[in-house]
Amino acid sequence: MSRVTASSGLILEEPLLWEKGKKGRRGFSPPERDVGSHPLAEELTGDPPDIPELSEVDVVRHYTRLSQWNFGLDTGMYPLGSCTMKYNPKTNERQASLSGFTGAHPLLPESLCQGLLKIISETEHYLSEITGMDETTIQPSAGAHGELTGMLLIHAFHEHHEARKSKIIVPDTAHGTNPASAALCGYTPVPLRSNEHGIMDPEAVEAMMDEDVAGIMVTNPNTLGLFEEHLHRIADIVHAKGGLVYCDGANMNAVMGIVKMGDLGVDVMHLNLHKTFSTPHGGGGPGSGPVAVKKHLAPFLPVPRVVMGDDGAFELSSNFPLSIGRVLAFHGSIGVAIKAYSYIRSMGPDLAQASRLAVLNANYLKERLKEDLHLAYDRPCMHECVFSDAFQKEYGVSTLDIAKRLIDYGFHPPTVYFPLVVPGAVMVEPTETESIENLDQFVDALQSIAKEARENPDVLRSAPSLSKLRRLDEVAAARKPCLAG
Ligand SMILES: *Cc1c(COP(=O)(O)O)cnc(C)c1O
C-alpha cells in the first residue's frame, strides 16, 4: 500500500444515549423559578417520557464520535459517479442561514417576503438562462420529482392538443428514476439500446418513433459520462412525429455555461440543485429539482408562480388555468434555492470554468487509469468515466472487492454496477473540486489495488480491513435493518 490516508485509530465505540444515561445527570441548569407553582392538568400528568439524563460532556462526545463514523465531502474525495459529490462552498450555507430566510414562515403574506420572492424569481431566471429554456419552476423537490413534473407537463401538453399518446422512449443508459417517472405518469417506458459508442443512434430513434410516442427522455451528458452528440437530430425526429424531448439534466455539472440544452431541441428538463448548484446531498436532506421549459410548455407549469405585479411588487399567482397544479406544499425547497442563487451569483461566468475542470479531471483519471482498469468506452468523456472489473476477473476479484478496498486507502468508493449496460461497472466522477494531488493519490490507490489483485487477491476479497466495520451483508442490511443501533 502506498500513501494510505485511512486509519482506524481512535475511532471510538459509542452506545445509545439511553444506554449511556444515568439518573440525575444534567447538561443544563434552568434558572430558579420566579413564579408560583400550579398543578398540571390531569391529561399531562401520565408517565414521564423516557428521556435519557446526560451531562453536557456526555452529549458533546456522543455526537462528535458519531460524526467521526461518517464520511463526507468535508472528510475526503467522494468520486460517486452520477452523483456530483463536489465540495460545496460554506459561504452558500451562510447565506441560506441568514435569519431573515430561516425565520420566514411559508404563510407570510407576499408584502412581507418580497426578498424571498425576488430570490425565487431570479433563481428561476438564472436557471432558464443556464439551460437555454424560457421559464423555470423551482417547486419540485428532487431530480425524480422534477422528472415526474416534466412528464405531467408533457401529458398536459398533449391532452391540451387532444393528442392521445402512451409511450415514452428511454435509453438503456438512463437512471432508474426515468422509466419509473414515465410509468408513474401513466406512460409505458420503451427502452432504446445505446450504440457501440455508448450514445443514442438517430436511426434507432427513428425506427421506434410513431404517433403513439409522447416523447423521449434523454440524459445529457448520459450516465456513461458521454455527450449525446446526435441530440439535435434526434429532437428533430421526435418533433416531426409530434413527440416532445425531455432532458434529464442531473449531469449538468459537465456543461454549465457551455451547452444550452434549449439550443439542442430540448422542450423540458430538470436540474438537480443538490448535485450541481451547491447543496450537499446523500443524507436524505432536502433537495431541489427545478424544471425548465420552452414557451409552449410554460402555461402548464405548477402554481403558484412568482410573477411581477402591476405595482412592481412580486406576487404569487395561481392564475394559470392550464397549470398541472401544485407538485409540493408551499414554494419548494427554499433553502436549497438560496444556496443555488448564492452559488450562481458568486461564480458568475466561472460556472463554465467549473464544468471545464470537472471534465478535465475525469479525463485525467481516465487516461491515467486505463492500463490498470478496463475502460468501457475508450473515447473522451465528460464529467465521469466508466471502468469495469474485466481485467481483474481472472484473479477472482470483482468490482465490489475493488470498491471495498478503496475504503482502506481512505477513499469513498465510486458508484458500482451502474450503468447496467457495462457489466461490473466502476463509475468515477471526481468533480472540479479535487486538486491534482488528490487525483494522483486516488490513481495511486487504484494502481496498487490492481497490483494487489494480481499478487494478493485475498486481501481484496476480505476488504475493507481498516474501517470501523468490515464487509457488511448488504442484502441483510436492506432486508433486515437493525434500527436499534
Ligand atoms: C441523481 C440522478 C437522478 C435523480 O435525482 P434525485 O434527486 O436523487 O431524485 C436522475 N437522473 C440522473 C441522471 C441522476 O444522476
Side-chain angles (χ1 to χ4, degrees):
M1 263 200 211
S2 60
R3 295 209 284 158
V4 175
T5 59
S7 151
S8 56
L10 285 185
I11 296 289
L12 302 174
E13 290 298 343
E14 182 61 13
L16 296 179
L17 285 179
W18 277 268
E19 293 161 18
K20 207 170 164 171
K22 280 271 170 341
K23 209 153 184 51
R25 296 240 166 105
R26 289 283 176 275
F28 173 71
S29 310
E32 293 259 319
R33 176 161 51 81
D34 59 358
V35 292
S37 69
H38 293 275
L40 277 175
E42 208 168 289
E43 55 273 25
L44 296 176
T45 57
D47 290 336
D50 177 22
I51 296 176
E53 297 179 38
L54 298 143
S55 67
E56 179 173 325
V57 65
D58 287 338
V59 175
V60 169
R61 285 194 182 148
H62 180 74
Y63 288 107
T64 305
R65 286 178 185 182
L66 292 190
S67 78
Q68 290 171 342
W69 295 359
N70 203 0
F71 186 92
L73 259 299
D74 291 356
T75 323
M77 184 170 160
Y78 207 129
L80 202 62
S82 203
C83 292
T84 311
M85 303 299 281
K86 60 186 189 179
Y87 177 78
N88 297 297
K90 297 288 178 253
T91 181
N92 303 319
E93 294 286 344
R94 204 170 307 131
Q95 327 317 338
S97 319
L98 290 173
S99 60
F101 296 137
T102 54
H105 192 281
L107 290 176
L108 273 181
E110 283 118 301
S111 60
L112 294 181
C113 57
Q114 283 294 304
L116 264 174
L117 296 180
K118 183 171 178 189
I119 284 188
I120 295 176
S121 169
E122 289 191 6
T123 305
E124 290 180 345
H125 175 76
Y126 294 151
L127 296 177
S128 300
E129 177 67 27
I130 290 168
T131 52
M133 307 295 276
D134 297 317
E135 298 202 30
T136 298
T137 171
I138 62 150
Q139 212 180 93
S141 62
H145 196 198
E147 292 166 25
L148 176 61
T149 306
M151 287 296 108
L152 290 167
L153 293 171
I154 288 179
H155 187 265
F157 175 88
H158 288 312
E159 193 160 67
H160 184 64
H161 291 90
E162 292 175 5
R164 298 198 70 82
K165 295 174 187 287
S166 69
K167 296 186 290 192
I168 295 277
I169 299 176
V170 187
D172 55 6
T173 49
H175 197 268
T177 49
N178 284 198
S181 300
L184 204 58
C185 189
Y187 286 123
T188 306
V190 218
L192 167 72
R193 274 177 76 100
S194 43
N195 67 16
E196 72 275 21
H197 305 296
I199 57 174
M200 291 184 303
D201 221 12
E203 282 71 39
V205 176
E206 183 130 49
M208 287 176 79
M209 265 319 287
D210 59 34
E211 311 287 333
D212 198 25
V213 172
I216 188 168
M217 277 185 110
V218 178
T219 305
N220 196 26
N222 70 20
T223 58
L224 290 165
L226 302 174
F227 195 81
E228 290 290 349
E229 289 166 21
H230 310 298
L231 182 53
H232 208 289
R233 255 181 76 202
I234 289 171
D236 286 346
I237 292 168
V238 172
H239 288 150
K241 288 261 165 44
L244 294 176
V245 179
Y246 185 90
C247 175
D248 176 333
N251 292 336
M252 194 70 189
N253 207 50
V255 293
M256 289 183 290
I258 299 168
V259 178
K260 294 188 172 191
M261 294 302 158
D263 295 347
L264 301 181
V266 167
D267 299 288
V268 43
M269 69 181 291
H270 84 264
L271 296 168
N272 279 49
L273 297 190
H274 51 286
K275 286 178 181 167
T276 319
F277 294 94
S278 201
T279 281
H281 62 115
S288 179
V291 169
V293 296
K294 288 280 182 54
K295 271 200 182 67
H296 50 281
L297 286 168
F300 307 100
L301 282 171
V303 287
R305 304 201 51 207
V306 178
V307 297
M308 174 78 80
D310 293 337
D311 56 356
F314 290 100
E315 294 171 8
L316 285 164
S317 169
S318 292
N319 190 18
F320 294 89
L322 296 178
S323 165
I324 59 168
R326 265 188 186 282
V327 294
L328 194 75
F330 305 118
H331 319 311
S333 302
I334 293 298
V336 180
I338 297 168
K339 281 182 250 184
Y341 178 84
S342 169
Y343 180 65
I344 294 169
R345 293 289 301 240
S346 56
M347 293 288 283
D350 287 342
L351 281 178
Q353 184 64 358
S355 283
R356 282 188 204 104
L357 289 174
V359 171
L360 179 65
N361 281 358
N363 279 284
Y364 179 75
L365 288 184
K366 172 175 71 67
E367 288 305 310
R368 287 217 49 206
L369 281 169
K370 69 182 189 187
E371 305 288 309
D372 302 281
L373 284 178
H374 172 256
L375 189 59
Y377 296 87
D378 193 358
R379 43 180 303 215
C381 64
M382 300 299 288
H383 59 302
E384 61 196 356
C385 54
V386 181
F387 299 101
S388 84
D389 55 5
F391 294 164
Q392 281 71 36
K393 265 205 189 126
E394 60 173 300
Y395 310 108
V397 167
S398 70
T399 286
L400 190 68
D401 302 326
I402 297 169
K404 295 295 181 194
R405 186 61 170 159
L406 266 173
I407 296 173
D408 285 335
Y409 284 82
F411 290 98
H412 192 284
T415 294
V416 291
Y417 300 105
F418 179 79
L420 304 177
V421 290
V422 177
V426 180
M427 187 191 200
V428 181
E429 181 180 5
T431 82
E432 72 277 17
T433 56
E434 295 305 325
S435 65
I436 182 118
E437 290 78 16
N438 294 348
L439 298 181
D440 284 340
Q441 212 167 0
F442 183 71
V443 169
D444 283 354
L446 273 168
Q447 285 176 340
S448 39
I449 290 171
K451 190 156 177 268
E452 284 174 335
R454 294 190 297 271
E455 296 171 359
N456 191 8
D458 279 345
V459 88
L460 298 191
R461 286 192 287 262
S462 57
S465 58
L466 292 177
S467 56
K468 184 170 174 301
L469 295 178
R470 302 294 178 258
R471 196 175 295 203
L472 302 175
D473 179 340
E474 291 175 9
V475 176
R479 299 278 155 81
K480 295 182 201 152
C482 168
L483 301 176

